């Protein structure tokens, strides 16, 4: 019993490091970059708020679990801007990081979270499709309400922004249609 509790405490302490992973966008109204811990909290709330707009039936508890753990591999691999593309090397580093971090947990919990993480990464199930699509919304809003700061800083074209973020439609067509109009207005 105490060994299990201690292993969970070790995991909890280790994942604090996610707060030190700096992302490429600034939260709305702030002049600093967001950390991955803030992103995880924010994207969970976004998923909860837009669940009624999902294209299909989802299990919001599973979606939130996926979103809470989806970036834990960044503790070891760091954050990369989505527009740079997801390379095999980065994916392997994240997977190794997730294995290491989840390895701190008791086997049952580690296995449960690893299965959810893999499901998110594969993006095939309705829950994972919705979670991956919602994951795009906070950084998009940061740029829309921050003068396109990270797009400008990283030389991201409007075509790249549309291409990467169009996956929002896979999880929620109405949310993507709304965001698309905001993007068109922003670039007119």
């Amino acid at each position: 019993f105490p060994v299990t509790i201690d292993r969970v405490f070790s995991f909890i302490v280790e994942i604090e490091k996610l707060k030190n992973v700096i992302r490429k966008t600034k939260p709305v109204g702030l002049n600093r970059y967001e950390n991955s811990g803030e992103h995880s909290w924010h994207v969970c709330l976004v998923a909860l708020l837009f669940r009624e707009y999902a294209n299909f039936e989802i299990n919001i508890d599973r979606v939130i679990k996926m979103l809470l753990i989806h970036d834990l591999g960044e503790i070891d691999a760091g954050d990369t801007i989505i527009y740079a593309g997801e390379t095999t090397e980065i994916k392997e580093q994240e997977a190794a990081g997730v294995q290491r971090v989840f390895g701190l947990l008791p086997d049952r919990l580690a296995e449960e979270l690893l299965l959810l993480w893999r499901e998110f990464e594969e993006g095939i199930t309705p829950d994972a499709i919705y979670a991956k699509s919602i994951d795009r919304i906070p950084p998009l809003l940061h740029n829309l309400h921050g003068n396109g700061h990270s797009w400008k800083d990283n030389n991201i074209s409007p075509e790249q922004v549309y291409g990467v973020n169009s996956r929002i439609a896979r999880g929620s067509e109405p949310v993507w249609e709304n965001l698309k109009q905001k993007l068109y207005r922003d670039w007119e």
Side-chain angles (χ1 to χ4, degrees):
F1 182 72
V3 172
T4 300
I5 290 173
D6 284 340
R7 288 185 72 183
V8 173
F9 278 137
S10 294
F11 173 81
I12 291 168
V13 169
E14 182 65 16
I15 64 172
E16 282 279 319
K17 293 177 182 175
L18 194 62
K19 297 175 186 176
N20 198 38
V21 176
I22 304 303
R23 294 176 53 87
K24 308 295 188 257
T25 61
K26 297 175 182 177
V28 175
L30 298 179
N31 194 25
R32 65 165 176 81
Y33 289 93
E34 174 184 53
N35 69 55
S36 285
E38 292 171 312
H39 168 72
S40 294
W41 159 80
H42 196 205
V43 76
C44 286
L45 194 52
V46 172
L48 187 63
L49 295 171
F50 283 131
R51 70 184 182 270
E52 69 185 73
Y53 296 102
N55 292 343
F56 26 73
E57 192 73 29
I58 57 162
N59 179 331
I60 194 62
D61 290 341
R62 292 184 82 252
V63 168
I64 288 174
K65 286 178 185 178
M66 285 180 200
L67 291 170
L68 285 170
I69 65 170
H70 79 286
D71 280 336
L72 289 178
E74 291 181 2
I75 292 171
D76 292 351
D79 181 57
T80 56
I81 191 162
I82 189 81
Y83 303 102
E86 298 174 320
T87 67
T88 303
E89 181 183 351
I90 291 168
K91 286 295 170 194
E92 287 173 355
Q93 288 174 351
E94 287 180 0
V98 163
Q99 289 275 9
R100 182 190 67 77
V101 172
F102 290 163
L104 298 170
L105 289 167
D107 292 344
R108 182 186 55 78
L109 282 172
E111 185 178 324
E112 174 190 346
L113 295 182
L114 187 57
L115 287 173
L116 280 169
W117 183 83
R118 285 182 180 149
E119 182 180 341
F120 176 87
E121 288 297 308
E122 291 168 2
I124 296 170
T125 65
D127 292 342
I129 291 168
Y130 179 73
K132 284 182 87 71
S133 69
I134 293 300
D135 188 38
R136 296 302 324 129
I137 294 173
L140 188 60
L141 291 174
H142 292 166
N143 275 286
L144 284 171
H145 293 273
N147 217 12
H149 64 275
S150 75
W151 299 332
K152 290 175 184 173
D153 292 349
N154 294 284
N155 297 313
I156 307 302
S157 70
E159 293 77 25
Q160 288 174 288
V161 171
Y162 291 128
V164 166
N165 291 293
S166 64
R167 80 175 183 203
I168 294 169
R170 290 192 67 217
S172 177
E173 196 67 48
V175 170
W176 174 238
E177 286 304 315
N178 186 289
L179 285 169
K180 219 168 34 173
Q181 290 175 15
K182 290 173 181 13
L183 283 168
Y184 287 136
R185 273 183 294 208
D186 199 53
W187 273 314
E188 284 181 347

